[in-house]
Amino acid sequence: VSNAGVGMAGPLECQSLAAMQSLMDTNFFGLVRLVKEVLPDMKRRRGGHIVVISSIMGLQGIVFNDIYAASKFAVEGFCESLVVQALRFNVAISLVEPGPVTTDFESKLYEEAERADYSRTDPETANIFTNLYLRNSKDVFASLGQTPEDIAEHTLRVIEAARPPFRHQTNAAYTPMAALKHADPSGALMTDAFYKLVFKYDAVLRLSLR
């Protein structure tokens, strides 16, 4: 089970390349290093199961999560490319894709975001992040967040499955969001829906979550 991960949220201009590279080294290359270690023996034995804790943000980018989403997109692409070869050797690969999970991981991330310096971006972007994104994120976690125990139960079901699924989303509330990308190959439907959700109907969003 590959579960190592770090988070990053905020305006792109305020994040250093060194921090981005460190995140990718953990979230993506950490998985690659693990798979390189275990896959050869699994192939020799013609049996095994690699379970990767991904994220719904590996399927759908979220505003102000550019680098974190990029790392999870990389995880998804890596596993999607590898799974067919692995199946030839009777090795299963499963991606567990949670939405928000209420843990110290997230609380520390948002505490740091509230204290961060946003002088390297323009005032409008800083205001959108601090007064729209952070506020809405708290409501999302309070309303839709799962517990770590819930994610563990989902992961256990994937591990014990007679035919392990390649992808398993843990939160049904995010299924329509992921489906928007496939409903319109041009991307216009998804982009328009998220723009309106963030900038036009944020008050409705917060009210519905509460």
Side-chain angles (χ1 to χ4, degrees):
V1 177
S2 175
N3 186 47
V6 293
M8 179 182 288
L12 185 67
E13 307 95 307
C14 301
Q15 298 163 342
S16 71
L17 281 175
M20 297 177 192
Q21 289 168 338
S22 177
L23 180 145
M24 291 297 293
D25 189 54
T26 297
N27 291 10
F28 176 63
F29 287 107
L31 167 64
V32 173
R33 287 192 289 268
L34 176 66
V35 172
K36 278 175 66 69
E37 286 293 324
V38 301
L39 186 60
D41 188 56
M42 289 181 175
K43 288 165 76 174
R44 280 192 293 270
R45 290 187 284 114
R46 292 198 171 257
H49 189 187
I50 298 170
V51 179
V52 181
I53 307 301
S54 181
S55 170
I56 196 69
M57 277 194 256
L59 301 175
Q60 171 65 61
I62 301 293
V63 63
F64 290 118
N65 284 268
D66 323 88
I67 307 305
Y68 180 78
S71 73
K72 292 301 183 178
F73 266 70
V75 164
E76 295 272 334
F78 172 70
C79 292
E80 191 171 283
S81 300
L82 193 61
V83 66
V84 173
Q85 178 205 147
L87 285 173
R88 175 70 178 178
F89 294 88
N90 195 38
V91 176
I93 296 176
S94 296
L95 288 157
V96 178
E97 299 162 334
V101 184
T102 307
T103 66
D104 288 343
F105 176 96
E106 297 294 345
S107 61
K108 289 177 182 176
L109 178 65
Y110 289 112
E111 285 172 10
E112 290 172 3
E114 288 176 345
R115 297 193 302 267
D117 175 18
Y118 298 114
S119 60
R120 283 174 290 175
T121 189
D122 59 276
E124 184 177 359
T125 299
N127 180 64
I128 292 168
F129 178 67
T130 55
N131 294 320
L132 277 181
Y133 173 82
L134 288 179
R135 184 175 56 181
N136 287 345
S137 292
K138 289 179 180 178
D139 290 341
V140 166
F141 273 85
S143 177
L144 301 176
Q146 294 177 273
T147 65
E149 291 78 12
D150 193 16
I151 303 303
E153 288 292 338
H154 278 273
T155 304
L156 181 62
R157 288 201 292 272
V158 168
I159 291 170
E160 292 181 335
R163 298 187 65 182
F166 175 56
R167 286 192 169 96
H168 176 81
Q169 294 174 29
T170 69
N171 194 326
Y174 284 81
T175 302
M177 183 178 79
L180 279 176
K181 286 184 71 170
H182 302 288
D184 176 15
S186 77
L189 178 62
M190 178 271 296
T191 304
D192 184 59
F194 274 84
Y195 181 87
K196 288 177 178 175
L197 192 65
V198 172
F199 293 114
K200 289 191 175 183
Y201 306 129
D202 65 294
V204 176
L205 170 65
R206 288 198 307 276
L207 183 63
S208 65
L209 289 170
R210 290 171 184 168

